Amino acid sequence: MANRVHSAVAANVLCKREVFNLKEKLTELFWETYNYRDGVSVYFAPGRVNLIGEHTDYNGGHVFPCALTIGTYAAVKCRDDNKIRLYSGNFPEKGVCEIEVGDYSYIKQPDWCNYPVGVIWALYKKGYVLDRGIDIMYYGDIPSGSGLSSSASIEVLTAYFLNDVFGFGIELTDIALLCQYSENNFNGSNCGIMDQFASANGKAGNAIFLDTATLTYEYAPVRLDGQSLLIINSNKKHSIVSSHYNDRRREAETALSQLQREIDIQSLGELSESEFEKYKYCIEDDLLLRRARHAVYENQRTIKAKKALNENDIKLFGELMVDSHVSLRDDYEVSCRELDVIVEEALKLDGVWGIRMTGGGFGGCCVGIFDTDKIEDIKNKIDRVYKDRCGIKADFYDVSIGEGPHRL
Ligand code: ADP
Ligand code: MG
């Protein structure tokens, strides 16, 4: 019964977000969980989509993500004792998890708690100690498993509200680094910095052009005129993504070390296309050569895409997105049939400026730029043909570029 009530309230939060006061709704969920509501604060941190620059972040290249208006919310209130209680409206069946301040060991169940607890652990390791407990109620509206980085969103959110509530004074970029540290070392995922950085430093209407080697970044206004961003979820799930991811990291590192015998570089991201063409003979194996070629060319494409966006050249931006997909498909080999079918079918349609797989690959989502007045027609056509060809139902998310973490 409790679960049903929670799901109903949660659904209401989602459907009526424009109409009802979100803060009220989240406070209501908090009250249903913990039976009090006085003094509760509500926070938000966004998910992200990467427009271009895929698998470049651990190769010392650029990425070009933007924060979304969908993300994760938390209603929180400090306690007088040392208990930390965590609950997620997305996993009502898992109930409330309770730990003590200072006891940050890995939690077997509910496993989702390891994302926020990892952040509390990382804060503790860096000397930011909670001096009392806290009650936390999470709720996220990022579709699960879509690759829009719900994990970074819940991590950044946790670091952000703890920073605010306990007055740690940590800068947003350091919040991103801390969350990446937590996901790497507490959750055992070898992720780069992009997801946490995009969530922490998001800015409405802007993409973030980030140099992952130096963490210098620039905002680039996304001025779409008659076009819209659309995310298409292939709903293709892949169970061994992380092993492929680790393979790619290793392959790119091996290619780099072979190039380093001849040239003095720290990462593939330092190479221009012509430098790569000049020295590619150093790479002994065709597969490794293709991996390195993707890392180098994708980084250069991302630099060109930023310039195109600054010049409001959406046509070029869209073409670079498609080139990115082809390179991810053929050279880096991280796409899959489902993502390829979506891209192939979309490119047959009128009103499509650009489309590519986004995220780690092997499933997940495509992101595209489409004429706003044709978008419903495009969705219907892709929906039909994708179901026919792949036997899976796609989901479509009309997204907007939103703000970074904030208190509501
Ligand atoms: P994504 O691409 O969405 O980041 P991940 O597998 O990296 O996918 O992270 C998803 C995991 O993050 C979920 O399985 C869950 O453990 C955790 N998570 C994300 N959002 C929430 C939420 N609102 N409540 C609880 N756990 C969440
Ligand atoms: Mg994740």
Coordinates of all heavy atoms in Angstrom, one line a residue, residues 77-157:
K77 N 16.7 17.2 5.5 CA 16.6 17.9 6.8 C 17.6 17.3 7.7 O 17.7 16.1 7.9 CB 15.2 17.8 7.4 CG 15.0 18.2 8.8 CD 14.9 19.8 8.9 CE 14.5 20.3 10.2 NZ 15.3 19.9 11.3
C78 N 18.5 18.2 8.3 CA 19.5 17.7 9.3 C 18.8 17.1 10.5 O 17.7 17.5 10.9 CB 20.4 18.8 9.8 SG 21.7 19.1 8.6
R79 N 19.4 16.1 11.2 CA 18.9 15.5 12.4 C 19.7 16.0 13.6 O 20.8 16.6 13.4 CB 19.0 14.0 12.3 CG 18.2 13.4 11.1 CD 18.5 11.9 11.0 NE 18.3 11.2 12.2 CZ 17.1 10.7 12.6 NH1 16.1 10.7 11.7 NH2 17.0 10.0 13.7
D80 N 19.2 15.6 14.8 CA 20.0 16.0 16.0 C 21.0 14.9 16.4 O 21.8 15.1 17.3 CB 19.0 16.3 17.2 CG 18.1 17.5 16.8 OD1 18.6 18.4 16.2 OD2 16.9 17.5 17.2
D81 N 20.8 13.7 15.8 CA 21.7 12.6 16.2 C 22.6 12.3 15.0 O 22.8 13.1 14.1 CB 20.8 11.4 16.6 CG 19.9 10.9 15.4 OD1 20.2 11.4 14.3 OD2 19.0 10.1 15.7
N82 N 23.2 11.1 15.1 CA 24.2 10.7 14.1 C 23.7 9.8 12.9 O 24.5 9.2 12.2 CB 25.4 10.0 14.7 CG 26.4 11.0 15.2 OD1 26.4 12.1 14.8 ND2 27.2 10.6 16.2
K83 N 22.3 9.7 12.8 CA 21.8 8.8 11.8 C 21.7 9.5 10.5 O 21.3 10.7 10.4 CB 20.4 8.4 12.2 CG 20.3 7.4 13.3 CD 18.8 6.8 13.3 CE 18.7 5.7 14.3 NZ 18.7 6.1 15.7
I84 N 22.0 8.8 9.4 CA 21.8 9.2 8.0 C 20.7 8.3 7.5 O 21.0 7.1 7.4 CB 23.1 9.2 7.2 CG1 24.1 10.1 7.8 CG2 22.8 9.6 5.7 CD1 25.5 10.0 7.1
R85 N 19.6 8.9 7.1 CA 18.6 8.0 6.5 C 18.4 8.4 5.0 O 18.3 9.6 4.7 CB 17.2 8.1 7.2 CG 17.4 7.6 8.6 CD 16.0 7.4 9.3 NE 15.3 8.7 9.5 CZ 14.0 8.7 10.0 NH1 13.4 7.6 10.3 NH2 13.5 9.9 10.2
L86 N 18.3 7.4 4.1 CA 18.2 7.6 2.7 C 17.0 6.9 2.1 O 16.8 5.7 2.5 CB 19.5 7.2 1.9 CG 20.8 7.7 2.4 CD1 21.6 6.6 3.2 CD2 21.6 8.2 1.3
Y87 N 16.3 7.5 1.3 CA 15.1 6.9 0.6 C 15.0 7.4 -0.8 O 15.3 8.6 -1.0 CB 13.8 7.2 1.4 CG 12.6 6.7 0.8 CD1 12.1 5.4 1.0 CD2 11.8 7.5 -0.1 CE1 11.0 4.9 0.4 CE2 10.7 7.0 -0.7 CZ 10.3 5.7 -0.4 OH 9.2 5.2 -1.0
S88 N 14.6 6.6 -1.7 CA 14.4 7.1 -3.1 C 13.0 6.7 -3.5 O 12.5 5.6 -3.5 CB 15.4 6.4 -4.0 OG 15.0 6.8 -5.4
G89 N 12.2 7.8 -3.9 CA 10.9 7.6 -4.5 C 10.9 6.8 -5.8 O 9.9 6.3 -6.3
N90 N 12.1 6.6 -6.4 CA 12.2 5.7 -7.6 C 12.4 4.2 -7.2 O 12.2 3.4 -8.1 CB 13.5 6.1 -8.4 CG 13.4 7.6 -8.9 OD1 13.8 8.5 -8.2 ND2 12.7 7.7 -10.0
F91 N 12.7 4.0 -6.0 CA 12.9 2.6 -5.5 C 12.1 2.4 -4.2 O 12.7 2.0 -3.2 CB 14.3 2.2 -5.3 CG 15.2 2.3 -6.6 CD1 16.0 3.4 -6.9 CD2 15.1 1.2 -7.5 CE1 16.7 3.4 -8.0 CE2 15.8 1.3 -8.7 CZ 16.6 2.4 -9.0
P92 N 10.8 2.7 -4.2 CA 10.0 2.6 -3.0 C 10.1 1.2 -2.3 O 10.1 1.1 -1.1 CB 8.6 3.0 -3.4 CG 8.5 2.8 -4.9 CD 9.9 3.0 -5.4
E93 N 10.2 0.2 -3.2 CA 10.2 -1.2 -2.6 C 11.4 -1.5 -1.8 O 11.5 -2.4 -1.0 CB 10.0 -2.2 -3.8 CG 11.2 -2.4 -4.7 CD 11.4 -1.2 -5.7 OE1 10.6 -0.3 -5.7 OE2 12.4 -1.3 -6.5
K94 N 12.4 -0.7 -2.0 CA 13.7 -0.9 -1.2 C 13.7 -0.2 0.1 O 14.6 -0.5 0.9 CB 14.9 -0.4 -2.0 CG 14.9 -1.1 -3.4 CD 16.3 -1.5 -3.9 CE 16.3 -2.4 -5.1 NZ 17.5 -2.6 -5.7
G95 N 12.7 0.6 0.4 CA 12.5 1.1 1.8 C 13.6 2.1 2.1 O 14.3 2.6 1.3
V96 N 13.6 2.5 3.4 CA 14.6 3.5 4.0 C 15.8 2.7 4.4 O 15.8 1.7 5.0 CB 14.0 4.2 5.2 CG1 15.0 5.1 5.8 CG2 12.7 5.0 4.8
C97 N 17.0 3.3 4.0 CA 18.3 2.8 4.4 C 18.8 3.7 5.5 O 18.8 4.9 5.4 CB 19.2 2.8 3.2 SG 20.9 2.4 3.6
E98 N 19.4 3.1 6.6 CA 19.8 3.9 7.7 C 21.3 3.5 8.0 O 21.6 2.4 8.1 CB 19.0 3.6 8.9 CG 19.2 4.5 10.0 CD 18.3 4.2 11.2 OE1 17.0 4.2 11.0 OE2 18.8 4.0 12.3
I99 N 22.2 4.5 8.0 CA 23.6 4.3 8.4 C 23.9 5.3 9.5 O 23.2 6.3 9.7 CB 24.5 4.4 7.2 CG1 24.5 5.8 6.5 CG2 24.2 3.3 6.1 CD1 25.5 6.1 5.5
E100 N 25.1 5.2 10.1 CA 25.6 6.1 11.1 C 26.7 7.0 10.4 O 27.4 6.6 9.6 CB 26.3 5.3 12.2 CG 25.4 4.5 13.1 CD 24.6 5.4 14.0 OE1 25.2 6.3 14.6 OE2 23.4 5.1 14.2
V101 N 26.7 8.3 10.9 CA 27.8 9.2 10.4 C 29.1 8.5 10.7 O 29.3 8.0 11.8 CB 27.7 10.5 11.2 CG1 28.9 11.4 10.9 CG2 26.4 11.3 10.8
G102 N 30.0 8.5 9.7 CA 31.3 7.9 9.9 C 31.4 6.4 9.5 O 32.5 5.9 9.2
D103 N 30.3 5.7 9.3 CA 30.3 4.3 8.9 C 29.9 4.2 7.4 O 28.8 4.0 7.1 CB 29.3 3.5 9.8 CG 29.3 2.0 9.3 OD1 30.2 1.6 8.6 OD2 28.4 1.3 9.7
Y104 N 30.9 4.4 6.6 CA 30.6 4.4 5.2 C 31.2 3.2 4.4 O 31.9 3.3 3.5 CB 31.2 5.7 4.6 CG 30.8 7.0 5.3 CD1 31.7 7.9 5.7 CD2 29.4 7.2 5.6 CE1 31.3 9.1 6.4 CE2 29.0 8.3 6.3 CZ 29.9 9.2 6.7 OH 29.5 10.3 7.4
S105 N 30.7 2.1 4.9 CA 31.1 0.9 4.1 C 30.1 0.6 3.0 O 29.0 1.2 3.0 CB 31.2 -0.3 5.0 OG 30.1 -0.3 5.9
Y106 N 30.5 -0.2 2.0 CA 29.7 -0.5 0.8 C 28.4 -1.2 1.3 O 28.4 -2.1 2.2 CB 30.5 -1.4 -0.1 CG 29.8 -1.4 -1.5 CD1 30.1 -0.4 -2.4 CD2 29.0 -2.4 -1.9 CE1 29.5 -0.4 -3.7 CE2 28.4 -2.5 -3.1 CZ 28.6 -1.4 -4.0 OH 28.1 -1.5 -5.3
I107 N 27.3 -0.7 0.7 CA 26.0 -1.2 1.2 C 25.5 -2.3 0.2 O 25.4 -2.0 -1.0 CB 25.0 -0.1 1.3 CG1 25.4 0.9 2.4 CG2 23.6 -0.6 1.6 CD1 24.7 2.2 2.3
K108 N 25.2 -3.5 0.7 CA 24.7 -4.6 -0.2 C 23.3 -4.2 -0.8 O 23.1 -4.3 -2.0 CB 24.7 -5.9 0.6 CG 25.8 -6.8 0.2 CD 25.6 -8.2 0.8 CE 26.4 -9.2 0.0 NZ 26.6 -10.4 0.7
Q109 N 22.4 -3.9 0.1 CA 21.1 -3.5 -0.3 C 20.6 -2.4 0.6 O 20.8 -2.4 1.8 CB 20.1 -4.7 -0.2 CG 20.1 -5.6 -1.4 CD 19.8 -5.0 -2.7 OE1 19.2 -4.0 -2.8 NE2 20.3 -5.6 -3.8
P110 N 19.9 -1.4 0.0 CA 19.6 -1.1 -1.4 C 20.9 -0.6 -2.1 O 21.5 0.3 -1.6 CB 18.5 -0.1 -1.4 CG 18.4 0.5 0.0 CD 19.3 -0.4 0.9
D111 N 21.2 -1.2 -3.2 CA 22.5 -0.9 -3.9 C 22.5 0.5 -4.4 O 23.6 1.1 -4.5 CB 22.8 -1.9 -5.0 CG 21.6 -2.1 -5.9 OD1 20.5 -1.5 -5.7 OD2 21.7 -2.9 -6.9
W112 N 21.4 1.1 -4.7 CA 21.4 2.5 -5.2 C 22.1 3.5 -4.2 O 22.6 4.5 -4.6 CB 20.0 3.0 -5.6 CG 19.1 3.2 -4.5 CD1 18.2 2.3 -4.0 CD2 19.0 4.4 -3.7 NE1 17.5 2.9 -2.9 CE2 18.0 4.2 -2.7 CE3 19.7 5.6 -3.7 CZ2 17.7 5.1 -1.7 CZ3 19.3 6.6 -2.7 CH2 18.3 6.3 -1.7
C113 N 22.0 3.1 -2.9 CA 22.5 4.0 -1.9 C 24.0 4.2 -2.0 O 24.5 5.2 -1.4 CB 22.2 3.4 -0.5 SG 20.5 3.6 0.0
N114 N 24.7 3.3 -2.7 CA 26.1 3.5 -2.8 C 26.5 4.7 -3.6 O 27.7 5.2 -3.4 CB 26.7 2.2 -3.4 CG 26.6 1.1 -2.4 OD1 27.1 1.2 -1.3 ND2 25.9 0.0 -2.7
Y115 N 25.6 5.2 -4.4 CA 26.0 6.5 -5.1 C 26.0 7.7 -4.1 O 27.1 8.3 -4.0 CB 25.0 6.8 -6.3 CG 25.3 5.8 -7.4 CD1 24.5 4.7 -7.6 CD2 26.3 6.0 -8.3 CE1 24.7 3.7 -8.6 CE2 26.5 5.1 -9.3 CZ 25.8 4.0 -9.5 OH 26.0 3.1 -10.5
P116 N 25.0 7.9 -3.3 CA 25.1 9.0 -2.4 C 26.0 8.7 -1.2 O 26.8 9.6 -0.8 CB 23.6 9.2 -1.8 CG 22.9 8.0 -2.3 CD 23.6 7.5 -3.5
V117 N 26.1 7.5 -0.7 CA 27.0 7.1 0.4 C 28.4 7.3 -0.1 O 29.3 7.8 0.7 CB 26.7 5.7 1.0 CG1 27.7 5.3 2.0 CG2 25.3 5.7 1.6
G118 N 28.7 6.9 -1.3 CA 30.0 7.1 -1.9 C 30.5 8.6 -1.8 O 31.6 8.9 -1.5
V119 N 29.5 9.5 -2.1 CA 29.8 10.9 -2.1 C 30.1 11.3 -0.6 O 31.0 12.1 -0.4 CB 28.6 11.7 -2.7 CG1 28.8 13.2 -2.4 CG2 28.5 11.4 -4.2
I120 N 29.3 10.8 0.3 CA 29.5 11.2 1.7 C 30.9 10.7 2.2 O 31.7 11.4 2.9 CB 28.4 10.7 2.6 CG1 27.0 11.2 2.1 CG2 28.6 11.1 4.1 CD1 25.8 10.6 2.9
W121 N 31.2 9.5 1.7 CA 32.5 8.9 2.0 C 33.7 9.7 1.4 O 34.7 10.0 2.1 CB 32.6 7.4 1.4 CG 33.9 6.8 1.4 CD1 34.6 6.1 2.3 CD2 34.8 6.7 0.2 NE1 35.8 5.7 1.9 CE2 35.9 6.0 0.6 CE3 34.7 7.2 -1.1 CZ2 37.0 5.8 -0.3 CZ3 35.7 7.0 -2.0 CH2 36.8 6.3 -1.6
A122 N 33.5 10.2 0.2 CA 34.5 11.0 -0.5 C 34.7 12.3 0.2 O 35.8 12.8 0.4 CB 34.1 11.2 -2.0
L123 N 33.6 12.9 0.6 CA 33.7 14.2 1.4 C 34.5 13.9 2.7 O 35.4 14.7 3.0 CB 32.3 14.6 1.8 CG 31.5 15.3 0.7 CD1 30.0 15.4 1.1 CD2 32.0 16.7 0.4
Y124 N 34.2 12.8 3.4 CA 34.9 12.4 4.6 C 36.4 12.3 4.4 O 37.2 12.8 5.1 CB 34.2 11.2 5.1 CG 34.8 10.6 6.4 CD1 34.5 11.1 7.6 CD2 35.6 9.4 6.3 CE1 35.1 10.6 8.8 CE2 36.2 8.9 7.4 CZ 35.9 9.5 8.7 OH 36.4 8.9 9.8
K125 N 36.7 11.6 3.3 CA 38.1 11.3 2.9 C 38.9 12.6 2.7 O 40.1 12.7 2.9 CB 38.2 10.5 1.7 CG 37.8 9.1 1.8 CD 38.9 8.1 2.0 CE 39.9 8.0 0.9 NZ 40.9 7.0 1.1
K126 N 38.1 13.6 2.2 CA 38.8 14.9 1.9 C 38.7 15.9 3.1 O 39.0 17.1 2.9 CB 38.1 15.6 0.7 CG 38.0 14.7 -0.6 CD 39.3 14.9 -1.5 CE 39.2 13.8 -2.6 NZ 40.4 13.5 -3.3
G127 N 38.2 15.4 4.2 CA 38.2 16.2 5.4 C 36.9 17.0 5.7 O 36.9 17.8 6.5
Y128 N 35.9 16.7 4.8 CA 34.6 17.4 5.1 C 33.7 16.5 5.8 O 33.1 15.5 5.3 CB 33.9 17.8 3.7 CG 34.8 18.7 2.9 CD1 35.4 18.2 1.7 CD2 34.9 20.0 3.3 CE1 36.2 19.1 1.0 CE2 35.7 20.9 2.5 CZ 36.4 20.4 1.4 OH 37.1 21.3 0.6
V129 N 33.6 16.7 7.2 CA 33.0 15.7 8.0 C 31.6 16.2 8.4 O 31.4 17.4 8.8 CB 33.9 15.5 9.3 CG1 33.2 14.6 10.3 CG2 35.2 15.0 8.9
L130 N 30.6 15.4 8.3 CA 29.2 15.8 8.8 C 29.3 15.7 10.3 O 29.7 14.8 10.9 CB 28.2 14.8 8.3 CG 28.1 14.4 6.8 CD1 26.8 13.7 6.5 CD2 28.4 15.5 5.9
D131 N 28.8 16.8 10.9 CA 28.8 16.8 12.4 C 27.5 16.3 13.0 O 27.3 16.3 14.2 CB 29.2 18.2 12.9 CG 28.2 19.3 12.4 OD1 27.1 18.9 11.9 OD2 28.5 20.5 12.6
R132 N 26.5 15.9 12.2 CA 25.3 15.3 12.6 C 24.7 14.6 11.4 O 25.1 14.8 10.3 CB 24.4 16.2 13.3 CG 23.8 17.3 12.4 CD 23.7 18.6 13.3 NE 24.1 19.7 12.5 CZ 23.3 20.7 12.0 NH1 22.0 20.6 12.3 NH2 23.7 21.6 11.3
G133 N 23.6 13.9 11.7 CA 23.0 13.1 10.7 C 22.0 13.9 9.8 O 21.9 15.1 10.0
I134 N 21.4 13.2 8.9 CA 20.5 13.9 7.9 C 19.4 12.9 7.4 O 19.8 11.7 7.2 CB 21.3 14.6 6.8 CG1 20.4 15.5 5.9 CG2 22.1 13.6 6.0 CD1 21.3 16.5 5.0
D135 N 18.2 13.4 7.2 CA 17.2 12.6 6.5 C 17.1 13.1 5.0 O 17.0 14.3 4.8 CB 15.8 12.8 7.1 CG 15.7 12.0 8.4 OD1 16.5 11.0 8.6 OD2 14.9 12.4 9.3
I136 N 17.2 12.1 4.1 CA 17.2 12.5 2.7 C 16.1 11.7 1.9 O 16.1 10.4 2.1 CB 18.6 12.1 2.0 CG1 19.7 12.7 2.9 CG2 18.7 12.7 0.6 CD1 21.1 12.1 2.5
M137 N 15.4 12.4 1.1 CA 14.4 11.7 0.2 C 14.7 12.1 -1.2 O 14.6 13.3 -1.5 CB 13.0 12.1 0.6 CG 11.8 11.3 0.1 SD 11.6 11.4 -1.7 CE 11.4 13.1 -2.0
Y138 N 15.1 11.2 -2.0 CA 15.4 11.4 -3.4 C 14.3 11.1 -4.4 O 13.5 10.2 -4.1 CB 16.6 10.6 -3.9 CG 17.9 10.9 -3.3 CD1 18.4 10.1 -2.3 CD2 18.7 11.9 -3.7 CE1 19.7 10.3 -1.7 CE2 20.0 12.2 -3.1 CZ 20.4 11.4 -2.1 OH 21.6 11.6 -1.5
Y139 N 14.2 11.9 -5.4 CA 13.3 11.5 -6.5 C 13.9 12.0 -7.8 O 14.2 13.2 -8.0 CB 11.9 12.0 -6.3 CG 11.0 11.5 -7.4 CD1 10.6 10.2 -7.4 CD2 10.7 12.3 -8.5 CE1 9.9 9.7 -8.4 CE2 9.9 11.8 -9.6 CZ 9.5 10.4 -9.5 OH 8.8 9.9 -10.6
G140 N 14.0 11.2 -8.8 CA 14.6 11.6 -10.1 C 13.6 11.4 -11.3 O 12.8 10.5 -11.3
D141 N 13.7 12.3 -12.3 CA 12.8 12.1 -13.5 C 13.7 11.8 -14.7 O 13.2 12.0 -15.8 CB 11.8 13.2 -13.6 CG 12.5 14.6 -13.8 OD1 13.7 14.7 -13.8 OD2 11.8 15.6 -13.9
I142 N 14.9 11.3 -14.5 CA 15.7 10.8 -15.7 C 15.3 9.4 -15.9 O 15.3 8.6 -15.0 CB 17.2 10.9 -15.4 CG1 17.6 12.3 -15.1 CG2 18.0 10.3 -16.5 CD1 19.0 12.4 -14.6
P143 N 14.9 9.0 -17.1 CA 14.5 7.6 -17.4 C 15.6 6.7 -17.0 O 16.8 6.9 -17.5 CB 14.2 7.6 -18.9 CG 13.9 9.0 -19.3 CD 14.7 9.9 -18.3
S144 N 15.4 5.7 -16.3 CA 16.4 4.8 -15.8 C 17.1 4.0 -16.9 O 16.4 3.6 -17.9 CB 15.8 3.8 -14.8 OG 16.4 2.6 -14.9
G145 N 18.4 3.9 -16.9 CA 19.1 3.2 -17.9 C 19.2 3.8 -19.2 O 19.6 3.2 -20.2
S146 N 18.9 5.1 -19.3 CA 18.9 5.8 -20.6 C 20.2 6.3 -21.0 O 20.4 6.8 -22.1 CB 17.8 6.9 -20.7 OG 18.1 7.8 -19.6
G147 N 21.2 6.4 -20.1 CA 22.5 6.9 -20.4 C 22.5 8.5 -20.3 O 23.4 9.1 -20.8
L148 N 21.5 9.0 -19.6 CA 21.5 10.5 -19.4 C 22.1 10.9 -18.1 O 21.9 12.0 -17.5 CB 20.1 11.1 -19.6 CG 19.5 10.8 -21.0 CD1 18.1 11.3 -21.1 CD2 20.3 11.3 -22.1
S149 N 22.8 10.0 -17.5 CA 23.6 10.2 -16.3 C 22.9 10.5 -15.0 O 23.1 11.5 -14.4 CB 24.7 11.3 -16.6 OG 25.9 10.9 -16.1
S150 N 22.0 9.6 -14.7 CA 21.3 9.8 -13.4 C 22.2 9.6 -12.3 O 22.1 10.2 -11.2 CB 20.1 8.8 -13.3 OG 20.6 7.5 -13.3
S151 N 23.3 8.8 -12.5 CA 24.2 8.5 -11.4 C 25.0 9.8 -11.1 O 25.1 10.2 -9.9 CB 25.2 7.4 -11.7 OG 26.0 7.7 -12.8
A152 N 25.5 10.5 -12.1 CA 26.2 11.8 -11.8 C 25.2 12.8 -11.2 O 25.6 13.6 -10.3 CB 26.8 12.4 -13.1
S153 N 24.0 12.8 -11.7 CA 23.0 13.7 -11.1 C 22.7 13.5 -9.6 O 22.7 14.5 -8.9 CB 21.7 13.5 -12.0 OG 20.6 14.0 -11.3
I154 N 22.6 12.2 -9.2 CA 22.4 12.0 -7.8 C 23.6 12.3 -7.0 O 23.6 12.7 -5.8 CB 21.8 10.6 -7.5 CG1 21.2 10.5 -6.1 CG2 22.8 9.5 -7.7 CD1 20.4 9.2 -5.9
E155 N 24.8 12.0 -7.6 CA 26.1 12.3 -6.8 C 26.2 13.8 -6.6 O 26.5 14.3 -5.5 CB 27.2 11.8 -7.6 CG 27.4 10.3 -7.7 CD 28.2 9.8 -8.9 OE1 28.8 10.6 -9.6 OE2 28.2 8.6 -9.1
V156 N 26.1 14.6 -7.7 CA 26.3 16.0 -7.7 C 25.3 16.6 -6.7 O 25.6 17.5 -5.9 CB 26.3 16.6 -9.1 CG1 26.2 18.1 -9.0 CG2 27.5 16.2 -9.9
L157 N 24.1 16.2 -6.8 CA 23.0 16.7 -6.0 C 23.4 16.5 -4.5 O 23.3 17.4 -3.7 CB 21.7 15.9 -6.3 CG 20.5 16.1 -5.4 CD1 20.0 17.5 -5.5 CD2 19.4 15.1 -5.6

